[in-house]
Amino acid sequence: MKQTERLQPTRTGIRRAAALLRDGALVAFPTETVYGLGADATDDTAVAKVFEAKGRPSFNPLIVHVPTLADAEAIGEIPEAAWAFLEDGWPEGLTLVAPLRADSKLSLLVTAGQRTVALRVPASPVAQDLLTAFDGPVAAPSANPSGRISPTCADHVLSGLDGRIAAVLDGGETPGGLESAILAFDEAGPIVLREGVFQVSEDLRRKTALDDGPGALPAPGMLKSHYAPQGTLRMNVTTPDPGEWFIGFGPHRNADANLSASGDLREAAANLFALLHQADKKDRIAVAPVPNTGLGRAINDRLSRAAAPRGADF
Ligand code: TXA
Ligand code: MG
């Protein structure tokens, strides 16, 4: 890829960043927590590029960033108990997990096939300007290569991702410096899934998932049997058994569907969740080998969760 553009948060820079997002390119941008690596959340290929650029080993779901509470409500059903946190507007550094609306138009890769979505309205003016100019939901993990420290300035972003993303919008240092707090809700109130910039007051705290240790964190990407289709699924199949619904990768004459006929991993990643949804109605599913390199690792990770025996969680 070409050199990453460093854009200033002027009108011209914001317009350029929004145009790149519209073209399906990746743009890093500051929020009040850390820099996010943004992609059009409705574009499968753009979202697949996020996992590829980060070298993310699994399709962990991504936080969706929108400019207003009304935009958030159009994507997820804000849980009743969450409204107490939103009385004075969306607090800084808060991400809410909400049931996903059926008509959300989000790429299935964003939610990793979950029925919930993590939503965030960033307070940072540069993030607000970008989201308003783009006029759509932006999926963004922290803008660092997988396993590295989250970036709090444009130089951090470039040191990890230069040449792998189209642009970084340079808004100086992010005030938060660490990620948002992620809250889910049940009938009894908030559950802290990840501690972060937003602090839940002591009186609202009860036993959280974190209290059970890291193994108990209900981060969806950590479940062994996660994206389980209703039927069985076999991986690394070169010759399907009679009656199996066969998902190919690369040229296959007898495939019922194909992740990517040309053997392109990015295309395969973009197609994966849609194909698994399609396969959900079949009794027996077989999937051709996918090379375990680059995005292929994430694809195989997801497939192995789909293939895992049910009840194998944790
Ligand atoms: O401050 C932040 O939150 C930054 C900025 C850019 O917004 N983003 C960030 O994203 O830290 P990331 O991808 O590094 O971490 C997001 C976390 C992951 O652990 C993921 O599993 C969790 O959010 N997550 C996303 N969607 C979820 C969902 N529907 N339910 C539960 N957890 C979810
Ligand atoms: Mg991160």
Side-chain angles (χ1 to χ4, degrees), residues 8 10 36 41 44 71-72 75 95 106 134 146 175 188 202 211 213 216 221 261 267 272 294 307:
Q8 297 306 311
T10 55
D44 288 328
D71 295 308
I75 295 173
T95 295
L106 289 190
F134 175 63
S146 192
E202 281 307 320
D211 297 333
E267 187 187 21
L272 180 65

Side-chain angles (χ1 to χ4, degrees), residues 173-257:
E173 283 189 15
T174 58
L178 86 169
E179 291 89 346
S180 61
I182 303 179
L183 301 191
F185 291 86
D186 63 13
E187 312 73 48
I191 305 165
V192 182
L193 298 186
R194 180 177 75 180
E195 299 285 355
V197 164
F198 178 79
Q199 301 294 307
V200 179
S201 64
E202 281 307 320
D203 55 318
L204 286 174
R205 276 180 188 273
R206 54 197 164 104
K207 188 174 180 307
T208 69
L210 293 171
D211 297 333
D212 290 333
L217 192 70
M222 297 179 133
L223 302 177
K224 211 187 262 167
S225 167
H226 162 54
Y227 189 90
Q230 287 169 34
T232 60
L233 184 145
R234 291 199 301 139
M235 294 172 69
N236 298 315
V237 173
T238 40
T239 316
D241 293 337
E244 274 185 326
W245 201 71
F246 187 46
I247 301 178
F249 177 81
H252 282 281
R253 238 175 288 129
N254 56 351
D256 296 294

Side-chain angles (χ1 to χ4, degrees), residues 33 36 56 60-61 63 65 116 118 120 141-142 179-180 182 194:
T33 59
R56 199 162 185 159
N60 229 344
I63 297 173
H65 299 68
T116 57
R120 190 172 163 220
S142 48
E179 291 89 346
S180 61
I182 303 179
R194 180 177 75 180

Side-chain angles (χ1 to χ4, degrees), residues 1 17 22 32 47 57 65 69 75 93 171 193 216 228 231 264 274 294 307:
M1 199 198 245
R22 240 171 259 128
E32 73 274 19
V47 177
H65 299 68
L69 174 57
I75 295 173
L193 298 186
D264 179 63

